[in-house]
Amino acid sequence: MSNYNSYPGIGVDSKILITQNVLSSKLGFSNVDFYGRVQKVISKDLKSFTPEFYAEWPKRKEVYYDSKKAPGGNVFFIVSDEDTTKDGVLFEAKVKVVFMLNLEKLISGKTYWPDAEIQETCLKLLKRIGTIDPTGIERGIENVFKGFDITNIRLNGIQPYHTFSINGILKYTFNCNH
């Protein structure tokens, strides 16, 4: 489908942009939208947050699975609210690469539930890219979207839908040569 990658690769986004572009071109997923780093945006109830991407400033796009616009699913990045550094040059951010997928739309002809196969494919590619040091995998919307409003997500976690994140550490620098 679409790879929403028209944002500048500065700071943490420099490595996210690289990762996003490689995932989009190498995973071979059809009908999947790829996004960069999402923002926590206050929900309509003013009590919770939804993950949204600035697709075209100032317009935002919610990145939860949308069967009409991207029937295969969505891939996007959630970055921690605090990045750390020991020297003021090299920063570390905790990041989740989130995969909200409809496996039925991505894989056919299997006689088994291919969730572990998809996770392995994504993990292998992330390790090959080398921009994120994986530290774990989370499954299920309650775990992946901790801190976000998930009340409007229906049917996820039930076949054929599979939501998981590959979590890790992303190291980056800023170009501060001025």
Side-chain angles (χ1 to χ4, degrees):
M1 295 296 302
S2 296
N3 184 14
Y4 295 92
N5 62 355
S6 61
Y7 56 92
I10 299 171
V12 72
D13 288 329
S14 64
K15 297 285 179 79
I16 288 175
L17 185 59
I18 291 167
T19 309
Q20 174 187 349
N21 286 334
V22 174
L23 290 174
S24 174
S25 66
K26 301 291 185 195
L27 279 175
F29 292 168
S30 59
N31 299 317
V32 173
D33 281 344
F34 290 83
Y35 300 93
R37 177 172 50 99
V38 297
Q39 304 298 317
K40 281 184 179 178
V41 176
I42 193 82
S43 296
K44 291 175 184 154
D45 66 5
L46 302 177
K47 296 177 183 173
S48 57
F49 299 99
T50 57
E52 295 185 9
F53 181 76
Y54 281 94
E56 182 181 320
W57 184 263
K59 296 177 186 172
R60 297 184 309 262
K61 180 175 177 18
E62 187 178 283
V63 295
Y64 288 139
Y65 176 78
D66 183 341
S67 62
K68 292 182 180 110
K69 295 183 178 166
N74 292 336
V75 176
F76 52 91
F77 299 77
I78 298 174
V79 178
S80 62
D81 291 333
E82 181 182 357
D83 301 352
T84 59
T85 183
K86 292 179 182 169
D87 61 6
V89 177
L90 182 64
F91 288 81
E92 290 187 1
K94 292 179 183 175
V95 64
K96 291 182 177 189
V97 185
V98 178
F99 299 84
M100 291 190 82
L101 305 173
N102 180 335
L103 299 186
E104 199 172 78
K105 301 287 184 188
L106 298 178
I107 296 178
S108 62
K110 301 290 183 183
T111 58
Y112 56 88
W113 180 235
D115 58 337
E117 187 176 329
I118 287 287
Q119 291 169 23
E120 181 181 46
T121 298
C122 296
L123 179 61
K124 280 182 178 177
L125 183 54
L126 275 175
K127 288 173 83 171
R128 223 173 36 226
I129 298 167
T131 52
I132 296 171
D133 297 324
T135 59
I137 293 176
E138 287 181 315
R139 286 176 284 284
I141 59 172
E142 294 84 8
N143 297 318
V144 172
F145 294 115
K146 213 172 285 162
F148 288 99
D149 179 18
I150 59 171
T151 56
N152 290 329
I153 301 176
R154 294 182 205 100
L155 303 177
N156 242 308
I158 301 169
Q159 292 184 20
Y161 306 102
H162 181 52
T163 297
F164 70 97
S165 66
I166 298 174
N167 304 342
I169 303 296
L170 184 148
K171 296 178 182 178
Y172 69 94
T173 60
F174 287 97
N175 185 9
C176 297
N177 295 332
H178 299 43

